[in-house]
Amino acid sequence: MSVPEGVLLGMGNPLLDIQTTVDKAFLDKWGLKENDAILCDEKHVPMFDELTASHHVEYIPGGAAQNAVRVAQWILNEPNRMTYFGAVGADKYGEMLRKKATEAGVNVQYQVNETVKTGTCAALINGNNRSLCAHLAAAETFTVGHLEDPKHWKFVETAKYFYVGGFFLTVCPPAILEIAKHAAEHDKIFMLNLSAPFISQFFYEPLSKTLPYVDYLFGNEDEARAFSKSAGFNTEDIREIAEKASHLPKENKNRSRIVVITQGSEPTIVAQDGKIQEFPVIVLPKEKLIDTNGAGDAFVGGFLAELVRAKPLADCIACANYAASEIIQQQGCTFPAVCKYH
């Protein structure tokens, strides 16, 4: 089933991943955990220079929401089904991101900042773990005015589905709320990812203002537990957290909220209408596992690809599992030339 152009609009922080393999000593030196995602602060800035000077690095298009729409676009295999908003610099990294996204068929509508460089993310692979340290730079300068410009707002009006990375809550909550309210008023589907534990820990205020508009909430088990703590759920049980999150107040009463929590190689938990479902994941033999960076984004991308085709939940999860299992067999959030899903 073909879907119309611009059916989904994604919004987030477009970052160029600077990916390399490091040892535990390197992570310790820079105060990084083996499996985490953080925003870089002043002390991490020199690390980027050290990486490019002393490690063999790969440049891979990144940014969680952009990864998800690229994967969805790859599965749909018809150009311009996905539109994407975010801010980049007027530099070679920004051009690299635009080229890669456009090659993948995504209609990128970047806000270009002439004075700040394109954001980067150190994607540090240590065994099967990945530590992400994002230097937002230009990505942090996105303004709601870019969204409201009529030549961009038309993409909002065209879209029937919206997907926003939780990382964007650190950048431009007004833009998120504008899209969320538009979705609720026009009975469109608005989706949000919890993205990282620090979002719930330190940006709970903008998160809590967005939640009433969320039709689909995604996250992994660590993010779910951080969310549970900030929301005052008083539980570490993933099934219980998903169920409680699904019952939080909701603006659009036409549909119930669906909460999707991944747990690595453990089954994915889905909560809706007081019902909890578990979906097993595709477990790969260890020798096929290259790199888990981008697995969560790919999972969402697969889910979105079937959702915009109005497929049932089980099909969305099956495609999500397929996409995640493909991406963890590649370096970074990259994928084979041909999608064999269909």
Side-chain angles (χ1 to χ4, degrees):
M1 172 189 154
S2 182
V3 296
E5 283 196 12
V7 68
L8 182 140
L9 190 147
M11 193 161 66
N13 301 329
L15 303 172
L16 191 68
D17 282 357
I18 300 174
Q19 179 162 301
T20 189
T21 302
V22 298
D23 55 18
K24 180 80 165 61
F26 184 91
L27 296 174
D28 291 343
K29 175 183 175 181
W30 294 100
L32 299 171
K33 294 177 191 163
E34 282 177 299
N35 231 353
D36 202 8
I38 65 161
L39 292 180
C40 101
D41 52 35
E42 285 304 307
K43 72 175 185 197
H44 294 117
V45 175
M47 177 185 74
F48 288 82
D49 293 331
E50 183 181 325
L51 278 179
T52 49
S54 63
H55 288 69
H56 170 67
V57 301
E58 280 188 89
Y59 294 99
I60 298 169
Q66 184 167 244
N67 284 344
V69 298
R70 277 175 50 242
V71 170
Q73 186 64 68
W74 169 66
I75 293 167
L76 291 171
N77 197 27
E78 293 177 287
N80 300 326
R81 286 349 187 217
M82 307 277 143
T83 308
Y84 176 79
F85 285 156
V88 297
D91 53 22
K92 65 171 187 184
Y93 283 179
E95 276 314 305
M96 224 186 269
L97 279 179
R98 185 186 297 277
K99 183 172 176 285
K100 290 284 190 189
T102 306
E103 279 170 5
V106 178
N107 173 15
V108 286
Q109 296 292 325
Y110 291 144
Q111 181 169 6
V112 180
N113 190 315
E114 300 287 339
T115 57
V116 184
K117 63 180 190 160
T118 296
T120 48
C121 179
L124 309 174
I125 310 301
N126 176 255
N128 289 333
N129 296 314
R130 59 100 180 101
S131 187
L132 304 178
C133 184
H135 187 213
L136 294 183
E140 208 163 18
T141 66
F142 187 90
T143 60
V144 73
H146 182 76
L147 190 68
E148 291 167 343
D149 182 325
K151 69 175 187 278
H152 300 135
W153 187 254
K154 69 180 183 190
F155 295 111
V156 177
E157 291 182 330
T158 299
K160 301 281 186 283
Y161 299 83
F162 300 93
Y163 175 70
V164 179
F167 292 120
F168 205 63
L169 288 163
T170 74
V171 171
C172 194
I176 299 176
L177 280 175
E178 194 143 332
I179 280 181
K181 287 173 180 173
H182 168 87
E185 282 162 21
H186 296 86
D187 199 22
K188 297 176 176 184
I189 290 178
F190 180 79
M191 298 170 273
L192 185 76
N193 201 310
L194 291 171
S195 291
F198 82 83
I199 300 295
S200 291
Q201 287 161 348
F202 305 114
F203 295 90
Y204 190 72
E205 194 208 359
L207 173 58
S208 64
K209 285 181 179 160
T210 309
L211 277 168
Y213 300 97
V214 176
D215 297 304
Y216 285 79
L217 183 68
F218 296 94
N220 66 26
E221 72 272 43
D222 294 336
E223 294 152 10
R225 290 192 175 104
F227 175 72
S228 171
K229 200 170 179 184
S230 295
F233 288 171
N234 299 320
T235 180
E236 295 247 309
D237 182 274
I238 299 301
R239 294 168 64 94
E240 210 178 319
I241 294 166
E243 207 247 340
K244 287 187 168 183
S246 72
H247 288 306
L248 288 171
K250 195 166 181 298
E251 282 290 324
N252 183 354
K253 305 286 192 277
N254 292 336
R255 64 173 71 85
S256 54
R257 180 180 296 115
I258 296 176
V259 178
V260 182
I261 307 294
T262 59
Q263 307 185 89
S265 58
E266 295 296 307
T268 298
I269 304 293
V270 179
Q272 182 187 18
D273 294 329
K275 192 172 120 195
I276 305 280
Q277 290 175 270
E278 287 195 17
F279 295 89
V281 302
I282 299 166
V283 179
L284 292 173
K286 235 184 175 135
E287 61 274 13
K288 282 195 165 183
L289 224 168
I290 306 288
D291 161 22
T292 57
N293 187 25
D297 304 336
F299 177 92
V300 174
F303 192 100
L304 297 178
E306 291 291 66
L307 187 68
V308 300
R309 285 197 260 226
K311 293 291 180 76
L313 179 69
D315 290 10
C316 295
I317 296 279
C319 188
N321 284 339
Y322 161 79
S325 73
E326 281 289 333
I327 266 60
I328 60 180
Q329 296 178 66
Q330 319 284 325
Q331 284 285 357
C333 195
T334 55
F335 27 81
V338 179
C339 170
K340 294 180 181 154
Y341 186 67
H342 296 287

